[in-house]
Amino acid sequence: MLSNSSILITGGTGSFGHTFVPLTLAKYKPRRLVIYSRDEMKQWEMAKVYGNDERVRFFIGDVRDKDRLSRALNGIDFVVHAAATKIVPTAEYNPFECVKTNVIGAMNLIDACIDQGVKRVVALSTDKASSPANLYGATKLASDKLFIAGNSYAGGNDTRFAVVRYGNVMGSRGSVIPFFLSLANKGSLPITDDRMTRFMITLEQGVDLVWHAFEDMVGGEIYVKKIPSMKMTDVARAISPDAVHDIVGIRPGEKLHEQMIGPEDAPHTYEYAEHYKILPAIHQWSDDPLRINHGKKVSPDFTYCSDNNPDWMSIGTLREWIDQNRERIGKI
């Protein structure tokens, strides 16, 4: 589907974009792949990687600016929406700015994609959008709802929208693995709570989920990848087996366990071999055979949380992954 197409990724200089761009270029050979973001230095550094590859274009712009988005989307077939204000404390202390990017930015993108005749849009979401406990999660829940409703808002236009949701991205810039690695020789590691669990997903798995969404979507679906969980104490042991665990307490707005599907979504959720799919509650779309696509409906009390996950990553598996990816951990 993506072969010989024009693709744009918002926030494309972030961790996801640094993985999505080379993998998509190699697998689908798109005609054009546009990185849309507001940081010129990040674009400058990223452009060096691709040299004279004429397929890769860079477009300075902000999702808050609908006119600029509209210009950038001219002739684009597919969009990945990765731009977001996503650091939880940053959002709590700068709430208006978080809303402008995560909510108003989503509205701008939906409008601009419909106006420019974009075929399909996949928006990246987060576990924090499920039963949100902080502003970042609340804005991403609002964003998810906007993209779902965008399928009816499009009216007679053919633009379709879907969402992918996943948890902690292993080794991404600012995440727990590079943080623990930076402290590995200090003798102690800060643990918020010794009961805390988190989902674990690689950037490559995240990219694969986006590709699947483009191929499978009818419009309005939320795709949730089946991924393993780990206790934070085991993450710490994988990185520094002898370090003392310094229990520092949960930060404001932080959850003890991650949740990607809550009980309120269970009546509209279907299971597949490698993922779950939450279908829209509006317009009876959750009963649509094309959207269900041979999925198995989950139980009425189903939840998908990092503490009730049947799949767990071992300390040895994480160690092996760190050894194989050490050079790029925390750098993208």
Side-chain angles (χ1 to χ4, degrees):
M1 175 175 285
L2 300 178
S3 297
N4 198 35
S5 65
S6 291
I7 305 165
L8 180 142
I9 175 170
T10 69
T13 57
S15 298
F16 182 86
H18 272 280
T19 303
F20 177 83
V21 172
L23 291 180
T24 301
L25 288 172
K27 182 171 183 176
Y28 292 102
K29 296 177 174 54
R31 186 170 60 254
R32 181 166 52 124
L33 208 166
V34 180
I35 289 90
Y36 181 93
S37 67
R38 62 187 183 185
D39 191 319
E40 61 179 320
M41 285 308 299
K42 288 181 182 177
Q43 287 198 7
W44 177 260
E45 291 299 325
M46 192 173 182
K48 295 176 185 177
V49 176
Y50 298 100
N52 297 321
D53 191 333
E54 294 184 354
R55 298 173 298 171
V56 183
R57 315 286 180 83
F58 292 87
F59 211 111
I60 293 289
D62 197 317
V63 292
R64 301 181 186 188
D65 185 342
K66 186 161 72 171
D67 289 340
R68 186 64 169 165
L69 269 174
S70 187
R71 175 64 64 193
L73 289 166
N74 184 43
I76 294 294
D77 301 307
F78 301 97
V79 170
V80 179
H81 180 48
T85 297
K86 60 184 67 173
I87 298 173
V88 170
T90 300
E92 295 297 318
Y93 285 104
N94 301 273
F96 286 27
E97 300 306 302
C98 182
V99 169
K100 287 176 186 175
T101 297
N102 295 356
V103 180
I104 306 302
M107 294 170 63
N108 289 339
L109 183 63
I110 291 164
D111 269 330
C113 285
I114 293 170
D115 292 344
Q116 289 293 343
V118 171
K119 294 176 183 175
R120 296 190 177 189
V121 181
V122 172
L124 307 192
S125 187
T126 168
D127 59 275
K128 295 172 181 62
S130 182
S131 303
N134 51 59
L135 181 68
Y136 168 54
T139 60
K140 291 302 287 183
L141 174 60
S143 173
D144 291 356
K145 295 291 186 182
L146 288 167
F147 280 106
I148 291 166
N151 291 280
S152 55
Y153 182 62
N157 293 282
D158 292 330
T159 306
R160 293 293 173 259
F161 303 89
V163 175
V164 298
R165 182 182 289 173
Y166 47 79
N168 177 54
V169 176
M170 295 164 59
S172 61
R173 189 171 50 216
S175 64
V176 67
I177 291 174
F179 176 60
F180 279 175
L181 283 170
S182 71
L183 301 174
N185 297 321
K186 301 293 183 182
S188 68
L189 292 175
I191 304 290
T192 49
D193 190 296
D194 59 10
R195 299 167 295 168
M196 181 173 281
T197 61
R198 288 293 181 261
F199 286 111
M200 308 294 281
I201 187 171
T202 66
L203 283 164
E204 290 79 7
Q205 288 174 311
V207 170
D208 187 67
L209 185 62
V210 168
W211 289 341
H212 175 75
F214 276 127
E215 294 285 349
D216 180 79
M217 63 185 281
V218 176
E221 302 90 343
I222 298 177
Y223 295 86
V224 179
K225 183 78 171 174
K226 290 181 178 178
I227 51 178
S229 296
M230 279 196 84
K231 292 187 69 174
M232 281 297 97
T233 50
D234 285 343
V235 175
R237 290 187 185 102
I239 291 168
S240 185
D242 300 322
V244 174
H245 296 172
D246 182 17
I247 307 300
V248 297
I250 294 177
R251 298 178 298 175
E254 194 172 29
K255 289 183 178 180
L256 190 61
H257 307 292
E258 290 180 333
Q259 175 181 288
M260 287 202 281
I261 303 174
E264 62 280 355
D265 287 323
H268 314 291
T269 298
Y270 291 81
E271 183 176 4
Y272 305 81
E274 297 184 356
H275 67 282
Y276 298 97
K277 188 160 56 174
I278 305 169
L279 297 184
I282 59 174
H283 307 307
Q284 278 115 25
W285 285 347
S286 62
D287 298 322
D288 174 22
L290 287 176
R291 288 180 169 88
I292 295 171
N293 194 17
H294 307 295
K296 178 185 176 183
K297 199 165 192 177
V298 302
S299 64
D301 58 348
F302 176 81
T303 61
Y304 187 43
C305 303
S306 58
D307 62 328
N308 70 6
N309 191 358
D311 184 13
W312 290 81
M313 181 177 287
S314 70
I315 291 173
T317 299
L318 179 57
R319 253 187 220 142
E320 183 179 351
W321 182 87
I322 290 172
D323 289 341
Q324 293 172 350
N325 294 273
R326 194 175 293 273
E327 290 301 314
R328 66 181 190 137
I329 289 174
K331 294 180 181 177
I332 60 172

